[in-house]
C-alpha cells in the first residue's frame, strides 16, 4: 500500500496566483480530510468528505479556498488567489468508515506551501 | 467548539528516561488517539483508545483513556533518540471514523 499520496511536496508561488494541491487517499478508505498546519495554529481541519461528499467545510478560511472530491481516489484543494498568510503545510488524510480495527487517520507527507 | 489542552508543550530528556504527557478536554470524547510526527512528515497513528479506563500498550508506549472520558495520557518508557518528534493527542466524539480534534502537540527532545 503506497499510503496517502500528496503532490506537490513543495510549492512556492507568488501572491495572487492560483494554487492546486492534490491528494490520492488509500484505496478503500471512504473518508478524506484536509488539514493545515502552522506554528501559530497547529493542525486545523479545513474540510472533510465522506464517500466523496463534503460533510463539514466550516474550517475553510474564506471563499478563496475550495475543495473537490470528484471520485473516491482523488481530491484537490485550491486556493485562488493565494496570499502570504496561506503559507503552511497542508496535509491530506484518509480513514475508513467501515470495519473493525483502528479508526485513526493515515496522513500523507504534506505539501509545504510558500506564498511570496 | 471542542478544545484539547495538551501538556507539556515541550520536553527535554536524557536517553533512557521515561516520558509522560497528557491531554485534557472540556468535552467528552469516545475515542482518543495518539500520533507522532517526524520532521517533514505527516503524523502517524501510535495508539487508539475506545473505552473509558482502557489501557493500551504498543511496545514502549502505553496510553490510557481517562475514566471521565475527558482526558488521556501517553507514557514512553526507556526513551531512545528516535523518539524525538511532536506527539499529538486527538479526540473524537464518536467511536467510528469522523472528525477529530487535535491538541497542540508535545515536542520531545531526547539527548543521547
Amino acid at each position: 500500500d503506497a499510503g496517502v499520496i500528496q503532490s506537490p511536496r513543495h510549492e512556492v508561488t507568488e501572491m495572487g496566483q492560483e494554487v492546486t494541491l492534490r491528494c490520492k487517499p488509500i484505496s478503500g478508505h471512504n473518508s478524506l480530510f484536509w488539514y493545515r498546519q502552522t506554528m501559530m495554529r497547529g493542525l486545523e481541519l479545513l474540510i472533510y468528505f465522506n464517500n466523496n461528499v463534503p460533510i463539514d467545510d466550516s474550517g475553510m478560511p474564506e471563499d478563496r479556498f475550495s475543495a473537490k472530491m470528484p471520485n473516491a481516489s482523488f481530491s484537490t484543494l485550491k486556493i485562488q488567489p493565494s496570499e502570504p498568510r496561506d503559507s503552511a503545510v497542508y496535509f491530506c488524510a484518509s480513514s475508513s468508515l467501515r470495519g473493525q480495527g483502528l479508526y485513526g487517520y493515515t496522513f500523507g507527507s504534506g505539501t509545504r506551501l510558500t506564498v511570496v | 467548539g471542542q478544545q484539547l489542552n495538551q501538556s507539556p508543550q515541550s520536553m527535554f530528556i536524557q536517553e533512557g528516561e521515561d516520558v509522560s504527557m497528557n491531554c485534557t478536554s472540556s468535552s467528552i470524547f469516545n475515542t482518543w488517539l495518539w500520533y507522532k510526527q517526524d520532521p517533514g512528515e505527516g503524523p502517524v497513528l501510535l495508539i487508539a483508545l475506545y473505552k473509558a479506563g482502557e489501557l493500551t500498550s504498543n511496545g514502549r508506549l502505553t496510553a490510557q483513556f481517562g475514566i471521565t472520558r475527558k482526558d488521556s495520557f501517553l507514557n514512553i518508557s526507556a526513551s531512545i533518540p528516535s523518539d524525538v518528534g511532536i506527539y499529538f493527542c486527538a479526540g473524537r466524539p464518536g467511536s467510528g471514523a469522523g472528525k477529530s480534534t487535535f491538541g497542540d502537540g508535545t515536542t520531545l527532545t531526547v539527548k543521547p
Side-chain angles (χ1 to χ4, degrees):
Chain A
D1 190 343
V4 175
I5 299 172
Q6 289 187 248
S7 63
R9 282 301 305 268
H10 302 274
E11 176 83 30
V12 179
T13 190
E14 290 185 345
M15 183 172 66
Q17 296 296 308
E18 177 180 295
V19 174
T20 299
L21 312 181
R22 297 173 176 80
C23 176
K24 177 177 168 43
I26 289 176
S27 177
H29 280 190
N30 40 24
S31 291
L32 184 140
F33 306 81
W34 282 101
Y35 278 84
R36 178 171 67 177
Q37 186 176 37
T38 61
M39 288 292 291
M40 293 297 294
R41 295 175 172 265
L43 275 164
E44 299 175 276
L45 177 66
L46 301 177
I47 185 172
Y48 82 97
F49 297 82
N50 281 349
N51 296 317
N52 313 338
V53 176
I55 301 300
D56 185 346
D57 65 354
S58 59
M60 296 286 259
E62 40 197 280
D63 292 345
R64 297 184 297 106
F65 285 69
S66 62
K68 293 181 181 178
M69 192 164 185
N71 57 62
S73 58
F74 184 66
S75 177
T76 59
L77 178 67
K78 187 176 291 187
I79 308 172
Q80 166 64 18
S82 58
E83 297 182 3
R85 59 191 167 125
D86 301 330
S87 298
V89 181
Y90 290 81
F91 287 104
C92 175
S94 70
S95 69
S96 176
L97 280 172
R98 295 184 292 270
Q100 298 293 319
L102 297 180
Y103 285 106
Y105 302 165
T106 301
F107 281 83
S109 296
T111 294
R112 181 174 293 277
L113 174 66
T114 304
V115 183
V116 298
Chain B
Q2 297 167 325
Q3 285 191 323
L4 293 184
N5 296 309
Q6 192 171 345
S7 66
Q9 188 174 14
S10 60
M11 302 182 75
F12 296 83
I13 62 168
Q14 207 71 34
E15 183 177 359
E17 290 182 355
D18 296 343
V19 173
S20 185
M21 59 191 78
N22 66 72
C23 216
T24 59
S25 168
S26 57
S27 306
I28 287 175
F29 288 111
N30 286 319
T31 303
W32 282 94
L33 305 145
W34 285 92
Y35 292 83
K36 181 194 177 200
Q37 184 177 24
D38 291 327
E41 298 296 329
V44 174
L45 181 67
L46 298 174
I47 290 180
L49 303 158
Y50 301 104
K51 289 193 295 190
E54 180 180 356
L55 185 72
T56 297
S57 294
N58 178 7
R60 294 178 296 107
L61 276 60
T62 302
Q64 184 154 28
F65 193 142
I67 291 292
T68 65
R69 291 192 285 160
K70 291 184 176 181
D71 63 329
S72 178
F73 72 73
L74 175 71
N75 285 346
I76 305 173
S77 62
S79 58
I80 58 178
S82 62
D83 290 333
V84 163
I86 305 176
Y87 291 80
F88 291 98
C89 64
R92 192 181 295 152
S95 57
K99 188 166 79 169
S100 291
T101 300
F102 279 80
D104 289 335
T106 294
T107 300
L108 178 64
T109 302
V110 180
K111 302 176 203 174

